[in-house]
Amino acid sequence: MSDLLFEVENHIATITLNRPESYNAFSEEMITKWIEALETVRDDESIRVVIVKGNGKAFCAGGDIKAMHAGEGFYKSKEDITSTGLARKNSLWKKIQRIPLLLEEIDKPVIAQIHGFAMGAGLDMALMCDIRIAAASTKLSESYINVAIVPGDGGAYYLPKLVGIDKALDMLWTARMVTAEEAKEMGLVTFVVEDNELDEFTRAYAEKLASGPQTAIRFIKRAVYQSQKMDLRSALDYISSQMAIVTELDDFKEGVDAVINKRKPNYK
C-alpha cells in the first residue's frame, strides 16, 4: 500500500501518512505523494478543507532514523542525496521543504490531527498547519538535537511564532518531551481532546469550516498571514479591499438574511 493516502469526501481532503511500522517516518514516496496531494488541494476548487493525520500509533516521527544510520540521508532514495553537502541540501530544498512552500500557497484551512508521537520534522509538519488538534495522550518533541542536526524543514521558523523565542530554543536545545496539555498551554496546539474523540472532533470541525462561506474563509486566512508581514496601514488597506469584494458576493446576502431570520445559512 502507498506510503501516503489521499482522499476527498464532501469537500474535505484527507492526507494520511501511511508507514505505521515506522511511526510514519518519511520515505521518498511519502514526500513525493505529499507534494502531489498539496498541489491538488491548491488547484481543486471543490476541496474546501484539508486534514493531515497518521496511521497506526503515531502522527509522524519525521526523518527516518534507520536511513540516517545507514548513511542514506533523511530517507532512502534512488538518487544521490548524501554524498555532498549540496546533495543533502537539495534533498531538503527539492523535496521536504516543498511542503511548507506549497502550504503557503493554500488559502484553504489545513488541520493537523495529531496522536501518539509527533517528533522532530513530524512535529514541524503539524506546526505548518493552521489548526492543530491533539489527542490527550500525544507526546511532542523537537528531537533534532538527539542526533546532532538542525530543524531543516522549517521548525526554526514556525516554532518561535507559536510559543516565543525562549520556549522554542528550550524545546530545540533539550529535545524535551511535551504532553498535549503542556503543548496547549504553550500555544503549540489548538485543541486537546480525549483519544477516542479525536476522529469525530476533527471531522466535525472540518465539516463546520467546509460548510461556511468559502471566499470569506480563504480571505481571512490570507489576511491573517499577510498581516504578519505588514505595517498597520498596509494591513488595513489590504483588508478593506477584501471587504469590498466579499460584500458583493451572494454569501454576504445569505449570511445577513440567515442572521435576521434566525436560520442556518446555506452558502453556495
Side-chain angles (χ1 to χ4, degrees), residues 95-254:
K95 296 287 187 177
I96 293 173
Q97 291 178 349
R98 287 295 303 148
I99 293 171
L101 290 170
L102 277 167
L103 283 168
E104 193 174 44
E105 298 177 16
I106 294 172
D107 290 335
K108 305 162 188 179
V110 183
I111 303 167
Q113 178 181 312
I114 315 168
H115 77 288
F117 293 95
M119 310 288 286
L123 172 55
D124 293 342
M125 291 297 172
L127 303 187
M128 298 170 194
C129 299
D130 304 309
I131 299 291
R132 285 159 294 283
I133 303 172
S137 64
T138 304
K139 300 291 192 298
L140 310 96
S141 174
E142 289 285 13
S143 54
Y144 299 96
I145 203 71
N146 288 339
V147 290
I149 60 174
V150 297
D153 64 336
Y157 176 85
Y158 292 101
L159 187 62
K161 294 179 183 298
L162 292 169
V163 303
I165 291 175
D166 57 339
K167 292 184 178 66
L169 287 171
D170 170 57
M171 288 187 67
L172 290 163
W173 280 339
T174 67
R176 68 184 182 87
M177 199 74 75
V178 176
T179 67
E181 281 297 337
E182 287 176 312
K184 186 171 184 289
E185 291 177 9
M186 295 169 64
L188 199 59
V189 301
T190 319
F191 302 104
V192 175
V193 300
E194 294 301 320
D195 290 24
N196 62 355
E197 298 174 0
L198 181 62
D199 285 329
E200 182 180 356
F201 183 95
T202 305
R203 189 72 189 184
Y205 191 90
E207 288 173 352
K208 180 179 178 65
L209 295 179
S211 66
Q214 293 305 300
T215 301
I217 285 173
R218 295 176 195 183
F219 275 16
I220 287 169
K221 176 173 175 175
R222 196 181 304 177
V224 167
Y225 285 112
Q226 289 289 95
S227 293
Q228 307 310 303
K229 306 172 185 177
M230 295 178 174
D231 58 31
L232 176 60
R233 182 176 294 273
S234 299
L236 292 175
D237 184 49
Y238 181 74
I239 202 72
S240 63
S241 298
Q242 290 187 322
M243 184 69 85
I245 294 171
V246 295
T247 50
E248 288 191 344
L249 302 178
D250 290 339
D251 279 352
F252 170 64
K253 299 172 187 176
E254 171 64 14

